[in-house]
Amino acid sequence: MKEVTMLCNRLASVFLGPQNENDKYMDVDSHSSNTGGAEMHPDGLIFIGKEDDIKKSQRITPKIDGREIVVFYHEGKFHALDSRCYHEGGPLCFGEIEDIDGQACIVCPWHKFKITLETGEGLYKGINPQESSPTPKWQSKGVKQRIYKVTIDSGNVYVSPPDFSVSFDSDYYAEKYKQGGELAIGKPSRSEDTE
Protein backbone atom coordinates (compact mmCIF):
# COMPACT_ATOMS: atom_id res chain seq x y z
CA MET A 1 0.00 0.00 0.00
CA LYS A 2 2.93 2.35 0.66
CA GLU A 3 3.93 1.85 -2.97
CA VAL A 4 0.43 2.95 -4.04
CA THR A 5 0.70 6.10 -1.91
CA MET A 6 4.10 6.86 -3.39
CA LEU A 7 2.74 6.27 -6.89
CA CYS A 8 -0.23 8.56 -6.18
CA ASN A 9 2.14 11.29 -5.03
CA ARG A 10 4.42 10.87 -8.02
CA LEU A 11 1.53 10.78 -10.49
CA ALA A 12 0.11 13.90 -8.86
CA SER A 13 3.43 15.58 -9.55
CA VAL A 14 3.20 14.52 -13.21
CA PHE A 15 -0.48 15.41 -13.71
CA LEU A 16 -0.56 18.62 -11.67
CA GLY A 17 2.92 19.86 -12.47
CA PRO A 18 5.67 20.96 -10.15
CA GLN A 19 4.39 22.31 -6.86
CA ASN A 20 7.72 23.84 -5.84
CA GLU A 21 11.33 24.03 -6.89
CA ASN A 22 11.87 20.43 -5.78
CA ASP A 23 8.88 19.14 -7.83
CA LYS A 24 7.62 16.74 -5.21
CA TYR A 25 4.56 15.53 -3.43
CA MET A 26 5.56 14.09 -0.11
CA ASP A 27 5.28 10.40 0.74
CA VAL A 28 4.48 9.82 4.40
CA ASP A 29 3.46 6.77 6.37
CA SER A 30 2.63 7.81 9.92
CA HIS A 31 3.67 4.39 11.15
CA SER A 32 7.04 4.38 9.45
CA SER A 33 8.16 7.99 9.69
CA ASN A 34 11.76 9.13 9.37
CA THR A 35 12.31 8.32 13.04
CA GLY A 36 11.31 4.68 12.52
CA GLY A 37 7.85 4.53 14.06
CA ALA A 38 4.61 6.41 14.61
CA GLU A 39 5.13 9.61 16.51
CA MET A 40 2.37 10.43 18.90
CA HIS A 41 1.83 13.79 20.53
CA PRO A 42 1.13 13.58 24.28
CA ASP A 43 -2.52 14.47 23.54
CA GLY A 44 -2.94 11.36 21.34
CA LEU A 45 -2.44 13.30 18.09
CA ILE A 46 -0.72 11.54 15.19
CA PHE A 47 2.40 13.08 13.67
CA ILE A 48 2.00 13.70 9.93
CA GLY A 49 5.05 15.72 8.95
CA LYS A 50 7.03 18.91 9.31
CA GLU A 51 5.09 22.11 8.76
CA ASP A 52 7.64 23.62 6.35
CA ASP A 53 7.83 20.44 4.25
CA ILE A 54 4.06 20.25 3.86
CA LYS A 55 3.84 23.95 3.02
CA LYS A 56 6.40 23.41 0.24
CA SER A 57 4.74 20.32 -1.22
CA GLN A 58 1.16 21.68 -0.80
CA ARG A 59 -0.25 18.17 -0.19
CA ILE A 60 0.78 14.83 1.25
CA THR A 61 -0.89 11.42 1.53
CA PRO A 62 -0.02 9.92 4.90
CA LYS A 63 -1.57 6.78 6.37
CA ILE A 64 -3.12 6.35 9.78
CA ASP A 65 -3.25 2.65 10.68
CA GLY A 66 -3.25 1.81 6.97
CA ARG A 67 -6.00 4.33 6.13
CA GLU A 68 -4.79 6.85 3.57
CA ILE A 69 -5.67 10.48 4.13
CA VAL A 70 -4.72 13.58 2.17
CA VAL A 71 -3.43 16.72 3.86
CA PHE A 72 -3.58 19.97 1.90
CA TYR A 73 -1.90 23.26 2.65
CA HIS A 74 -4.04 25.86 0.90
CA GLU A 75 -4.13 29.63 1.36
CA GLY A 76 -2.41 29.53 4.72
CA LYS A 77 -4.44 26.67 6.22
CA PHE A 78 -3.98 22.94 6.65
CA HIS A 79 -6.87 20.60 5.81
CA ALA A 80 -6.99 16.80 6.19
CA LEU A 81 -9.60 14.36 4.87
CA ASP A 82 -9.97 10.80 3.61
CA SER A 83 -7.99 10.51 0.39
CA ARG A 84 -10.76 8.64 -1.49
CA CYS A 85 -13.84 10.50 -2.74
CA TYR A 86 -17.10 9.48 -1.12
CA HIS A 87 -18.79 9.07 -4.53
CA GLU A 88 -16.78 6.26 -6.16
CA GLY A 89 -13.38 6.32 -4.50
CA GLY A 90 -11.58 8.75 -6.81
CA PRO A 91 -8.08 9.73 -5.66
CA LEU A 92 -8.47 13.22 -4.19
CA CYS A 93 -4.68 13.63 -4.10
CA PHE A 94 -4.96 14.27 -7.87
CA GLY A 95 -7.75 16.82 -7.54
CA GLU A 96 -7.61 20.53 -8.14
CA ILE A 97 -8.63 22.96 -5.41
CA GLU A 98 -11.28 25.50 -6.44
CA ASP A 99 -12.99 28.32 -4.62
CA ILE A 100 -16.77 27.82 -4.62
CA ASP A 101 -18.80 30.57 -2.99
CA GLY A 102 -15.88 31.48 -0.75
CA GLN A 103 -15.16 27.87 0.26
CA ALA A 104 -12.01 25.99 -0.70
CA CYS A 105 -13.09 22.72 -2.34
CA ILE A 106 -11.23 19.71 -3.70
CA VAL A 107 -12.61 18.55 -7.04
CA CYS A 108 -12.49 14.80 -7.53
CA PRO A 109 -10.55 14.05 -10.72
CA TRP A 110 -12.87 11.17 -11.71
CA HIS A 111 -16.36 12.68 -11.69
CA LYS A 112 -15.76 16.32 -10.66
CA PHE A 113 -17.58 15.98 -7.32
CA LYS A 114 -16.83 19.00 -5.14
CA ILE A 115 -15.98 18.61 -1.45
CA THR A 116 -15.30 21.45 0.97
CA LEU A 117 -11.92 21.19 2.62
CA GLU A 118 -13.16 22.76 5.84
CA THR A 119 -16.23 20.61 6.55
CA GLY A 120 -16.22 17.65 4.12
CA GLU A 121 -19.57 18.68 2.65
CA GLY A 122 -20.44 17.55 -0.86
CA LEU A 123 -21.61 20.47 -3.01
CA TYR A 124 -23.79 20.54 -6.10
CA LYS A 125 -25.36 23.24 -8.24
CA GLY A 126 -29.12 23.18 -8.17
CA ILE A 127 -32.14 25.37 -8.83
CA ASN A 128 -35.40 26.01 -7.04
CA PRO A 129 -38.04 25.35 -9.71
CA GLN A 130 -40.57 27.37 -7.73
CA GLU A 131 -38.60 30.59 -8.28
CA SER A 132 -39.92 32.74 -11.12
CA SER A 133 -36.42 32.89 -12.67
CA PRO A 134 -34.57 29.86 -11.28
CA THR A 135 -30.87 30.52 -10.96
CA PRO A 136 -28.43 27.69 -10.25
CA LYS A 137 -26.92 28.02 -6.78
CA TRP A 138 -24.43 25.93 -4.86
CA GLN A 139 -26.14 23.64 -2.37
CA SER A 140 -24.86 21.21 0.27
CA LYS A 141 -25.51 17.47 0.21
CA GLY A 142 -24.36 17.36 3.83
CA VAL A 143 -21.07 16.08 5.20
CA LYS A 144 -19.93 13.21 2.99
CA GLN A 145 -16.17 13.12 3.49
CA ARG A 146 -14.44 12.36 6.79
CA ILE A 147 -12.22 15.24 7.84
CA TYR A 148 -9.47 15.25 10.43
CA LYS A 149 -8.59 18.06 12.84
CA VAL A 150 -5.09 19.40 12.14
CA THR A 151 -2.87 20.72 14.93
CA ILE A 152 0.46 22.52 14.52
CA ASP A 153 2.91 22.31 17.43
CA SER A 154 6.54 23.44 17.33
CA GLY A 155 6.76 23.11 13.53
CA ASN A 156 5.19 19.65 13.51
CA VAL A 157 1.83 18.81 11.93
CA TYR A 158 -0.50 16.38 13.68
CA VAL A 159 -4.00 15.07 13.01
CA SER A 160 -6.53 13.83 15.51
CA PRO A 161 -7.31 10.13 15.30
CA PRO A 162 -10.61 9.40 13.52
CA ASP A 163 -13.78 9.08 15.59
CA PHE A 164 -15.42 5.97 14.16
CA SER A 165 -18.51 6.37 16.35
CA VAL A 166 -19.73 8.65 13.53
CA SER A 167 -19.74 7.31 9.97
CA PHE A 168 -19.35 9.16 6.68
CA ASP A 169 -19.87 8.09 3.07
CA SER A 170 -16.11 8.24 2.44
CA ASP A 171 -15.54 5.48 5.03
CA TYR A 172 -16.64 2.83 2.53
CA TYR A 173 -13.89 3.66 0.01
CA ALA A 174 -11.29 4.39 2.68
CA GLU A 175 -11.76 0.86 3.99
CA LYS A 176 -12.04 -0.71 0.53
CA TYR A 177 -8.71 0.76 -0.58
CA LYS A 178 -7.10 0.06 2.78
CA GLN A 179 -7.84 -3.63 2.28
CA GLY A 180 -7.30 -3.78 -1.48
CA GLY A 181 -4.34 -1.55 -2.20
CA GLU A 182 -3.91 -2.88 -5.72
CA LEU A 183 -7.16 -1.11 -6.62
CA ALA A 184 -6.03 2.19 -5.16
CA ILE A 185 -5.09 4.05 -8.33
CA GLY A 186 -7.29 2.68 -11.10
CA LYS A 187 -10.79 3.87 -11.84
CA PRO A 188 -13.19 1.01 -11.13
CA SER A 189 -14.60 -0.87 -14.07
CA ARG A 190 -18.34 -1.51 -14.31
CA SER A 191 -17.80 -5.11 -13.16
CA GLU A 192 -16.06 -3.89 -9.99
CA ASP A 193 -18.91 -1.48 -9.32
CA THR A 194 -21.51 -4.26 -9.38
CA GLU A 195 -19.59 -6.66 -7.11
Side-chain angles (χ1 to χ4, degrees):
M1 190 68 170
K2 183 172 182 170
E3 293 78 19
V4 171
T5 300
M6 292 168 50
L7 178 60
C8 184
N9 290 331
R10 286 184 181 81
L11 287 173
S13 181
V14 170
F15 288 119
L16 301 175
Q19 299 302 300
N20 60 49
E21 61 278 359
N22 298 321
D23 186 29
K24 66 178 182 178
Y25 280 84
M26 293 182 60
D27 297 322
V28 176
D29 185 333
S30 69
H31 292 278
S32 60
S33 67
N34 294 340
T35 60
E39 292 183 44
M40 299 293 285
H41 190 271
D43 294 333
L45 302 174
I46 301 164
F47 175 77
I48 296 300
K50 293 291 189 182
E51 180 179 12
D52 289 340
D53 293 339
I54 299 171
K55 284 180 175 179
K56 286 178 191 170
S57 67
Q58 306 275 307
R59 63 185 75 192
I60 62 171
T61 53
K63 290 184 194 167
I64 300 173
D65 293 327
R67 185 183 184 114
E68 190 176 85
I69 67 171
V70 61
V71 179
F72 295 101
Y73 179 72
H74 180 71
E75 294 184 353
K77 293 179 80 177
F78 288 92
H79 305 276
L81 55 156
D82 279 342
S83 70
R84 291 290 165 170
C85 179
Y86 70 90
H87 172 240
E88 283 192 6
L92 297 179
C93 63
F94 294 151
E96 296 289 330
I97 297 175
E98 292 182 6
D99 180 78
I100 297 175
D101 279 353
Q103 298 183 86
C105 296
I106 185 70
V107 179
C108 179
W110 283 1
H111 302 107
K112 309 304 179 207
F113 276 57
K114 285 128 176 84
I115 303 163
T116 64
L117 293 178
E118 193 75 32
T119 64
E121 289 177 87
L123 299 181
Y124 70 100
K125 213 167 203 179
I127 62 167
N128 181 348
Q130 296 178 346
E131 290 179 359
S132 56
S133 297
T135 306
K137 295 179 185 158
W138 287 105
Q139 315 266 340
S140 173
K141 298 176 186 178
V143 177
K144 300 291 188 177
Q145 198 78 18
R146 181 177 296 279
I147 61 168
Y148 300 79
K149 182 178 184 249
V150 179
T151 302
I152 312 299
D153 185 22
S154 303
N156 293 321
V157 179
Y158 300 88
V159 296
S160 297
D163 174 8
F164 291 118
S165 68
V166 179
S167 64
F168 297 93
D169 291 3
S170 65
D171 290 342
Y172 172 78
Y173 288 103
E175 284 302 311
K176 178 178 178 181
Y177 289 103
K178 178 179 173 181
Q179 296 169 5
E182 69 282 354
L183 302 174
I185 292 298
K187 190 173 180 178
S189 68
R190 287 290 170 211
S191 62
E192 288 173 339
D193 281 345
T194 57
E195 291 178 358

